[in-house]
Amino acid sequence: MQKNKSIVLGITGGIAAYKAAELVRLLVKNNIDVQVVMTEAACQFITPVTLQALSGKPVYTGMWDASVPNGMPHIELSRAADAILIAPASADFIAKLVHGRADDLLSTLCLARDCPLLIAPAMNKQMWENPATQRNIVLLKTDAVAVLGPASGDQACGETGLGRMLEAEELLYLINAHLQPKLLKGKKILITAGATLEMIDPVRAVTNISSGKMGYAIAQAAFEMGADVTLVSGATALVPPMGIHTISATSADAMYQTVMQHVCGQDIFIGVAAVADYSPIAMQAHKIKKSESSLTLELKRNKDILAEVASLPNAPFCVGFAAETENLLTYAEVKRNAKKLPLIVANLVSDAMRSEENTVTLLDKNGAHPLPRTSKIEVARLLLKHVNNLLK
Ligand code: PMT
């Protein structure tokens, strides 16, 4: 089994320290080991006991902790970590990092580290915009420190502007991205996701129950692996993911046009969207009034986006999905052959649609490769590793 990733979470003094509690909870839930280290100022905003309860580990707050066997927590803690994240990172702590100061456990730990350092700044907007802070941020980036955020919005002091710490979920997303191997660095990948919506009249539509979760998870996993990701999104309630060029295209025709505009130069195309095979011949300009006891809708066949992309002269590596209610592998293999795809992902509607997890089988020229039932993001990571192997 793969070893859990492990991070040191450094908390410095700022009101955003309260968000660190939620961040620890999410990290632990995502099987990331968290060792919390707090500055003295951080303890004014949130107690070590809270972070200990959430991380399941004692929290370090000072240099002189006798519980570390060799008495050198500043060395021990960073050696065990895959990364150090400072969240929130105050203006003062950022300035200390720039100068290589080492006057408390957290700053010493950062100076003695042998792993990547990420910071999530949080401060008043004037402090953030101050030329001194901006100079410090440039210098930290030159030293290969990853700066996550800050975001813009309402601040605890009552002002509005840049300086808010990113939300815990956003930080989790970026940390996950940081911890994944960059298998797809330099690769361009185009993905369709979600349901299409074929309008009948201004208020009614033909659609399906795809949530977009599987396609969005693949986009996230590709981003984590360093790819340049374009996501063509059908109808979904999901929020466009950070770091991903997301284009909304809700009808099958709009999705086809958008994919064709962006497919040139792509290395990989993955069709995850549940695209309507048929749409109304024409959308009615006005709401259809009920009159007869039945209504007949005339539908026309839509273009098959995946088949069209796969038949392009310089086609990218094309991956299809097949959601079936019966004869899963047989039907999926028929689709793979009909659309001339090197790889198709077979899933049952009952396993895949709208759920947080999925059970899939990858079908390629070498046969069937069943994957264990797991979260959609894990399925996505395993799928992309398989694609990367096939590309090699
Ligand atoms: O969105 P979720 O709730 O997370 O659910 C995920 C999912 C079940 C939608 C996803 O895992 C999935 O299986 N997507 C494909 C759905 C399907 O069965 O598509 P299909 O059999 O109609 O098409 C096969 C392939 O051709 C798919 O890759 C599809 O994107 C593509 N296609 C189909 C028709 C069309 N006009 N254009 C296409 O590109």
Side-chain angles (χ1 to χ4, degrees), residues 210-212 214 271-273 303 306 321 335 339 347 354 376:
S210 163
S211 63
M214 190 66 244
V272 197
K303 285 211 171 82
L306 180 60
F321 266 72
K335 280 182 188 168
K339 302 190 191 205
N347 50 197
R354 301 173 86 92
K376 284 184 172 167

Side-chain angles (χ1 to χ4, degrees), residues 192-196 208-218 235-236 238 252 255-256 259 269-278 301-309 319-324 331 335 339 341 344-358 360 376:
T192 64
T196 56
N208 61 70
I209 62 165
S210 163
S211 63
K213 287 177 193 165
M214 190 66 244
Y216 273 55
I218 294 172
T236 166
L238 301 176
M255 195 173 268
Y256 170 77
V259 165
F269 174 69
I270 308 187
V272 197
V275 186
D277 290 320
Y278 296 90
R301 185 80 193 256
N302 291 327
K303 285 211 171 82
D304 190 310
I305 305 167
L306 180 60
E308 298 265 342
V309 171
V319 182
F321 266 72
E324 307 291 346
Y331 287 165
K335 280 182 188 168
K339 302 190 191 205
L341 308 173
I344 198 159
V345 183
N347 50 197
L348 284 169
V349 169
S350 54
D351 282 335
M353 285 271 190
R354 301 173 86 92
S355 58
E356 299 302 323
E357 297 189 327
N358 200 358
V360 307
K376 284 184 172 167

Side-chain angles (χ1 to χ4, degrees), residues 8 77-84 110 112-118 178:
V8 168
L77 297 178
S78 85
R79 295 300 175 269
D82 293 295
I84 300 175
C110 290
R113 75 183 185 277
D114 64 352
C115 63
L117 175 62
L118 300 85
H178 192 84

Side-chain angles (χ1 to χ4, degrees), residues 202-383:
V203 289
R204 302 176 180 101
V206 177
T207 187
N208 61 70
I209 62 165
S210 163
S211 63
K213 287 177 193 165
M214 190 66 244
Y216 273 55
I218 294 172
Q220 179 184 339
F223 168 72
E224 289 174 353
M225 292 181 183
D228 174 351
V229 189
T230 303
L231 175 63
V232 181
S233 177
T236 166
L238 301 176
V239 178
M242 288 171 87
I244 291 168
H245 179 210
T246 307
I247 307 165
S248 170
T250 45
S251 69
D253 186 52
M255 195 173 268
Y256 170 77
Q257 304 292 346
T258 310
V259 165
M260 287 305 165
Q261 273 163 24
H262 290 85
V263 73
C264 181
Q266 298 288 338
D267 299 292
I268 303 166
F269 174 69
I270 308 187
V272 197
V275 186
D277 290 320
Y278 296 90
S279 56
I281 296 267
M283 178 183 149
Q284 301 298 310
H286 297 285
K287 190 176 168 190
I288 300 171
K289 293 289 164 202
K290 63 177 172 251
S291 50
E292 306 299 325
S293 60
S294 67
L295 173 73
T296 305
L297 262 184
E298 208 182 337
L299 302 174
K300 65 175 188 310
R301 185 80 193 256
N302 291 327
K303 285 211 171 82
D304 190 310
I305 305 167
L306 180 60
E308 298 265 342
V309 171
S311 64
L312 288 172
N314 286 319
F317 183 92
C318 284
V319 182
F321 266 72
E324 307 291 346
T325 53
E326 56 180 345
N327 304 324
L328 176 62
L329 298 188
T330 313
Y331 287 165
E333 187 62 10
V334 168
K335 280 182 188 168
R336 186 174 88 82
N337 289 324
K339 302 190 191 205
K340 299 191 173 57
L341 308 173
L343 176 64
I344 198 159
V345 183
N347 50 197
L348 284 169
V349 169
S350 54
D351 282 335
M353 285 271 190
R354 301 173 86 92
S355 58
E356 299 302 323
E357 297 189 327
N358 200 358
T359 310
V360 307
T361 300
L362 312 182
L363 297 175
D364 60 24
K365 66 177 185 335
N366 303 317
H369 314 272
L371 299 185
R373 180 161 187 83
T374 182
S375 63
K376 284 184 172 167
I377 185 66
E378 266 311 311
V379 169
R381 289 177 187 142
L382 294 170
L383 165 64

Side-chain angles (χ1 to χ4, degrees), residues 177-211:
H178 192 84
L179 295 175
Q180 289 299 319
K182 300 289 168 263
L183 295 178
L184 296 177
K185 193 154 180 59
K187 293 272 186 287
K188 291 186 76 177
I189 177 163
L190 182 64
I191 299 164
T192 64
T196 56
L197 202 62
E198 311 303 325
M199 297 308 288
I200 299 168
D201 67 16
V203 289
R204 302 176 180 101
V206 177
T207 187
N208 61 70
I209 62 165
S210 163
S211 63

